[in-house]
């Protein structure tokens, strides 16, 4: 294996969380499992699962995609033969050691080989677990009485005592040992027993119970258990705090126990298809453990399809899953939408819902930790930004154009401009034109255009701005003192000032004086030409990767005229409180091979961030 560096174009690697399923075989038949398990040998497409994993990782790396997390899931990985298990954890150990630098330099933690396991057969692999310091996340049912009922072997034998015995074999090993439990209504009914059994695991096993995870169960028509209501989820959360706040498990109940419902997990991104994937031993790629076996969440096969095709399918399918139901009005009004992004797309599709199935629980967690998760001051604006990224068809319904109540009729902005010819250049739709890799885009005033234009650019895009020559003379007595005036804004926002307005963060302004502009070559005799690519590249790392960024163009003279009118005319001031200059929005696609493509057009502007 070799470290991945920037490719010849200087592109930055894409980092993904990769789960690998070497087998669908499982030695347990848990009553509520959402997977269908094989009872025969492990599924393979190569001589052993390590070869398949190596083929998948190699193909990703050749496409400049780096797994920053590489862990084993199932099925049940401990069902593998000893040599296959040892070979896999040895491979992952070598992967982290040889790629640790590039992973840590990107801000991630280079971990250890990690397995998700039911703990029933770990005794077969103790030697490899110790040799490669394999961390593990075990799954249990709490309370123990329901573990004995739901977690039984394929031969219907109980499993709890063997699991507890196996945990004793791990005592003294330095590896990370944690566990998780899934909670349904049937578990919640025995909450007193859960409290007791959590304390038992903390006091009598080697599991780190401050690193424990509670998960909230969901159900399809095959599941015999009943999901918790929203109220029961919150009641369960509150009871755990009542029992464990201020105890030896204080860090757990206020941290890892409910961490799955915080933005640090997969639902904290707009489109989880960009960052998370699960590959199995046949090379098939799925969204995650939840999406296994569901065609709507099947991304392709990394042994047959190109990496770009798989990643594009991932983005498309997760986008479709989110759009299967509209954003509910309660989400639009929620001050925490910017954190939850409406929840897991798989469960939303299963439940035919537009909101997270753990909505009220998440709100309770956010409310209890305001220093980490402050409520938004403008939820509807958050909803608009989220919809622009993931629900473009719904953006129009989220527009809110507020007009102050005045006794006299307010003249429209177009009427004001028509009465002041010196302002016409500020709003001239033909004064500036952007050309990106051969595609031409008209730049129009953002406060008058009927729709947004968002284009995808890469750091290496060939981008040029064409400036109609006469615009340099508009509202200007001495053109030689005039300058092209460019403003670059990040899609990320800041809130400041007496008004407390949320605005796009300014990145840079750039002026090019008339004589310099006129001296540059241009292939259009009616326009000056300015090469924008180097300017954008100089500030590339300052732009948002999650939200569209903004480029505004005007001249120094027109900018001065705008602010003079802003000062003198209240009607003009109100209607141009956002920058009125000609603009275009762009996303930063570091992996884009065909920059300059128009990727979105939707109604403008309403509740968009003020700039």
């Amino acid at each position: 294996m070799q470290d991945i560096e920037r490719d010849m174009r200087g592109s930055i690697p894409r980092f993904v969380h990769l789960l690998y399923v070497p087998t669908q075989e499982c030695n347990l038949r848990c009553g509520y499992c959402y997977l269908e398990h094989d009872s025969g040998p492990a599924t393979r497409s190569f001589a052993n699962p390590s070869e398949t994993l190596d083929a998948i990782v190699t193909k990703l790396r050749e496409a400049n995609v780096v797994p920053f997390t590489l862990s084993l899931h199932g099925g049940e990985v401990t069902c593998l033969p000893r040599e296959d298990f040892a070979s896999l954890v040895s491979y992952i150990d070598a992967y982290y050691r040889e790629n640790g630098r590039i992973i840590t330099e990107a801000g991630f933690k280079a971990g250890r080989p990690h397995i998700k396991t039911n703990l029933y057969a770990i005794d077969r692999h103790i030697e490899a677990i110790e040799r490669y310091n394999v961390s593990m996340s075990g799954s249990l049912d709490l309370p123990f009485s329901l573990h004995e009922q739901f977690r039984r072997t394929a031969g219907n034998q109980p499993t709890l005592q063997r699991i507890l015995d196996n945990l004793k074999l791990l005592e003294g090993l330095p590896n990370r040992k944690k566990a998780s439990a899934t909670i349904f209504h049937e578990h919640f009914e025995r909450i007193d027993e859960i409290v007791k059994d959590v304390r038992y695991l903390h006091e009598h096993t080697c599991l780190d119970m401050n690193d424990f995870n509670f998960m909230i169960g969901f159900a399809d028509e095959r599941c015999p258990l009943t999901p918790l209501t929203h109220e029961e989820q919150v009641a369960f959360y509150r009871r755990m705090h009542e029992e464990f706040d201020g105890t030896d498990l204080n860090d757990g109940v206020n941290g890892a126990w409910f961490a799955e419902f915080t933005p640090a997990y997969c639902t904290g991104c707009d489109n989880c298809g960009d960052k998370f994937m699960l590959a199995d031993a046949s090379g098939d790629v799925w969204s995650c453990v939840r999406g296994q076996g569901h065609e709507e969440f099947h991304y392709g096969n990394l042994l047959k399809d190109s990496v770009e095709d798989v990643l594009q399918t991932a983005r498309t399918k997760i986008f479709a899953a989110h759009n299967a139901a509209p954003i509910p009005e309660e989400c639009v009004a929620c001050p925490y939408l910017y954190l939850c992004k409406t929840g897991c797309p798989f469960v939303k599709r299963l439940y035919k819902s537009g909101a997270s199935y753990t909505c009220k629980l998440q709100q309770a967690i956010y409310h209890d930790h305001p220093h980490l998760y402050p409520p938004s001051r403008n939820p509807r604006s958050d909803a608009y930004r989220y919809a622009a990224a993931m629900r473009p068809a719904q953006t129009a319904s989220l527009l809110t154009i507020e007009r102050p109540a005045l006794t006299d009729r307010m003249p429209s902005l177009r009427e004001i401009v028509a009465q002041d010819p010196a302002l016409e250049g500020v709003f001239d739709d033909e004064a500036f034109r952007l050309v990106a890799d051969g595609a031409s885009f008209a730049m129009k005033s953002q406060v008058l255009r009927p729709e947004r234009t968002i284009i995808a650019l890469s750091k290496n895009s060939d981008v040029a701005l064409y400036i109609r020559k006469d615009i340099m003379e508009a509202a200007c007595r001495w053109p030689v003192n005039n300058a092209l005036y460019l403003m670059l804004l990040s899609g990320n926002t800041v809130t400041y000032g007496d008004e407390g307005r949320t605005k796009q963060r300014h990145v840079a302004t750039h002026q090019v004086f008339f004589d310099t502009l006129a001296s540059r070559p241009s292939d259009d005799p009616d326009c000056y030409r300015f090469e924008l690519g180097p300017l954008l590249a100089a500030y590339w790392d300052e732009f948002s990767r999650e939200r569209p960024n903004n480029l505004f163009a005007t001249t120094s003279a027109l900018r001065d005229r705008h602010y003079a009118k802003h000062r003198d005319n209240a009607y003009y001031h109100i209607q141009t409180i956002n920058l009125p200059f000609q603009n275009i929005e762009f996303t930063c696609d570091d992996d884009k091979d065909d920059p300059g493509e128009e990727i979105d057009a939707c109604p403008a502007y309403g509740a968009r961030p003020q700039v």
Side-chain angles (χ1 to χ4, degrees):
M1 287 181 279
Q2 60 185 17
D3 288 349
I4 302 175
E5 303 293 348
R6 293 172 181 260
D7 65 17
M8 292 181 64
R9 296 179 304 150
S11 121
I12 299 172
R14 172 178 295 185
F15 292 86
V16 298
H17 181 118
L18 177 63
L19 295 176
Y20 180 58
V21 176
T23 177
Q24 291 292 348
E25 183 183 1
C26 187
N27 43 22
L28 270 59
R29 294 295 181 269
C30 301
Y32 51 83
C33 184
Y34 46 81
L35 295 177
E36 294 183 5
H37 297 295
D38 301 330
S39 57
T43 302
R44 303 179 188 176
S45 57
F46 281 75
N48 61 61
S50 297
E51 292 186 8
T52 310
L53 178 59
D54 181 53
I56 290 171
V57 171
T58 298
K59 192 165 185 177
L60 289 171
R61 290 167 60 226
E62 288 172 349
N64 213 18
V65 177
V66 183
F68 67 87
T69 297
L70 180 54
S71 56
L72 300 178
H73 216 285
E76 172 54 42
V77 297
T78 60
C79 287
L80 290 167
R82 289 184 178 88
E83 61 273 17
D84 284 349
F85 181 90
S87 178
L88 280 168
V89 295
S90 172
Y91 177 90
I92 297 172
D93 177 69
Y95 175 83
Y96 280 127
R97 284 189 284 104
E98 296 180 21
N99 293 280
R101 180 178 61 82
I102 193 170
I103 292 172
T104 55
E105 286 180 353
F108 304 104
K109 181 179 179 180
R112 302 293 312 161
H114 181 81
I115 62 172
K116 180 69 176 178
T117 174
N118 58 34
L119 299 168
Y120 186 74
I122 59 172
D123 54 311
R124 301 172 62 237
H125 304 289
I126 289 295
E127 181 181 352
I129 289 171
E130 181 175 9
R131 179 188 305 169
Y132 297 105
N133 193 17
V134 177
S135 72
M136 62 183 62
S137 177
S139 54
L140 299 161
D141 260 51
L142 293 178
F144 292 156
S145 58
L146 290 184
H147 183 106
E148 291 292 75
Q149 179 178 339
F150 297 139
R151 288 183 170 262
R152 302 182 74 82
T153 68
N156 199 32
Q157 296 300 307
T159 61
L160 179 61
Q161 190 55 54
R162 178 168 173 175
I163 288 171
L164 295 176
D165 291 342
N166 282 342
L167 288 175
K168 293 183 182 298
L169 300 176
L170 299 174
E171 292 179 358
L173 298 186
N175 62 320
R176 179 187 179 198
K177 298 173 280 285
K178 61 175 292 183
S180 63
T182 301
I183 305 299
F184 284 90
H185 174 77
E186 289 77 3
H187 303 83
F188 177 72
E189 287 184 319
R190 304 189 186 189
I191 196 168
D192 292 340
E193 293 181 54
I194 291 176
V195 171
K196 174 184 175 183
D197 292 339
V198 166
R199 291 195 174 111
Y200 177 89
L201 291 171
H202 176 58
E203 295 169 2
H204 300 285
T205 74
C206 60
L207 292 174
D208 181 358
M209 292 303 289
N210 274 304
D211 198 17
F212 187 80
N213 294 121
F214 281 116
M215 295 179 287
I216 303 300
F218 57 89
D220 60 17
E221 65 278 359
R222 299 173 302 171
C223 182
L225 301 186
T226 308
L228 294 174
T229 66
H230 286 286
E231 292 71 26
E232 288 172 335
Q233 293 175 28
V234 174
F236 179 81
Y237 166 79
R238 295 293 181 208
R239 177 65 184 279
M240 292 301 107
H241 276 278
E242 291 172 8
E243 296 289 344
F244 296 103
D245 276 346
T247 71
D248 290 345
L249 295 176
N250 180 79
D251 290 346
V253 75
N254 286 284
W257 286 17
F258 296 97
E260 183 181 349
F261 314 105
T262 67
Y265 271 62
C266 49
T267 55
C269 52
D270 287 343
N271 190 319
C272 60
D274 286 329
K275 299 178 182 178
F276 297 86
M277 64 175 64
L278 176 148
D280 65 24
S282 70
D284 280 330
V285 181
W286 311 86
S287 61
C288 58
V289 294
R290 293 176 173 181
Q292 285 185 81
H294 295 266
E295 185 57 35
E296 302 95 326
F297 295 89
H298 180 233
Y299 297 162
N301 187 294
L302 275 173
L303 302 182
K304 303 173 184 177
D305 304 321
S306 72
V307 172
E308 185 51 44
D309 283 348
V310 170
L311 294 176
Q312 182 57 50
T313 300
R315 289 189 289 267
T316 301
K317 289 201 169 185
I318 295 301
F319 180 89
H322 278 291
N323 281 271
I327 309 173
E329 187 57 39
E330 57 266 29
C331 293
V332 173
C334 177
Y336 301 115
L337 174 66
Y338 80 101
L339 296 169
C340 90
K341 309 295 179 68
T342 72
C344 172
F346 176 84
V347 183
K348 286 195 299 183
R349 186 124 185 178
L350 178 67
Y351 284 177
K352 296 179 173 58
S353 170
S356 172
Y357 79 112
T358 56
C359 172
K360 300 305 179 186
L361 172 58
Q362 290 172 263
Q363 289 179 346
I365 295 169
Y366 302 149
H367 180 271
D368 289 352
H369 300 86
H371 57 297
L372 295 175
Y373 314 116
S376 171
R377 302 172 73 173
N378 194 342
R380 197 169 187 87
S381 181
D382 295 334
Y384 184 92
R385 289 195 294 272
Y386 167 68
M390 290 297 295
R391 317 284 191 98
Q394 202 172 341
T395 52
S397 67
L398 298 173
L399 292 172
T400 55
I401 302 176
E402 297 181 0
R403 294 286 179 87
L406 299 174
T407 54
D408 299 324
R409 188 189 78 84
M410 180 189 296
S412 72
L413 181 56
R414 292 188 185 278
E415 290 174 326
I416 295 172
V417 173
Q419 295 169 8
D420 188 345
L423 283 174
E424 290 180 356
V426 176
F427 303 92
D428 192 329
D429 289 347
E430 298 178 352
F432 301 94
R433 172 169 49 93
L434 190 79
V435 176
D437 295 285
S440 181
F441 303 94
M443 296 183 68
K444 301 179 181 180
S445 169
Q446 71 157 354
V447 298
L448 289 179
R449 66 162 75 231
E451 64 178 23
R452 306 169 66 184
T453 298
I454 305 175
I455 64 174
L457 298 177
S458 76
K459 189 175 183 180
N460 300 295
S461 288
D462 182 10
V463 188
L465 180 67
Y466 287 83
I467 306 99
R468 201 180 65 227
K469 288 183 176 180
D470 64 286
I471 202 68
M472 298 301 297
E473 301 177 8
C476 176
R477 183 177 183 185
W478 305 108
V480 70
N481 290 330
N482 201 7
L484 171 67
Y485 197 100
L486 302 174
M487 289 158 280
L488 293 173
L489 282 70
S490 168
N492 297 326
T493 58
V494 291
T495 301
Y496 64 93
D498 288 346
E499 301 159 312
R501 282 198 294 154
T502 297
K503 311 176 185 181
Q504 287 187 299
R505 183 172 66 85
H506 283 256
V507 172
T509 60
H510 187 78
Q511 290 180 265
V512 185
F513 279 84
F514 174 80
D515 282 350
T516 302
L517 191 64
S519 69
R520 301 293 174 92
S522 175
D523 52 355
D524 185 337
D526 296 323
C527 295
Y528 302 116
R529 175 184 168 118
F530 179 70
E531 298 295 337
L532 268 173
L535 181 65
L536 295 173
Y539 295 101
W540 195 252
D541 292 340
E542 302 298 324
F543 297 128
S544 172
R545 298 305 190 268
E546 303 294 332
R547 302 182 180 94
N549 306 284
N550 234 319
L551 165 69
F552 289 89
T554 188
T555 70
S556 297
L558 289 171
R559 181 178 181 274
D560 291 344
R561 181 63 195 132
H562 157 70
Y563 281 111
K565 193 72 171 183
H566 219 258
R567 180 195 62 221
D568 296 338
N569 190 308
Y571 295 127
Y572 181 85
H573 186 121
I574 291 170
Q575 295 178 79
T576 60
I577 195 167
N578 282 345
L579 292 179
F581 309 117
Q582 294 88 332
N583 84 310
I584 202 158
E585 294 179 272
F586 62 94
T587 60
C588 294
D589 194 337
D590 296 307
D591 299 309
K592 187 171 179 57
D593 294 324
D594 183 24
E597 174 190 1
E598 183 173 339
I599 61 170
D600 193 14
C602 54
Y605 263 85
R608 298 188 62 253
Q610 296 172 357
V611 295

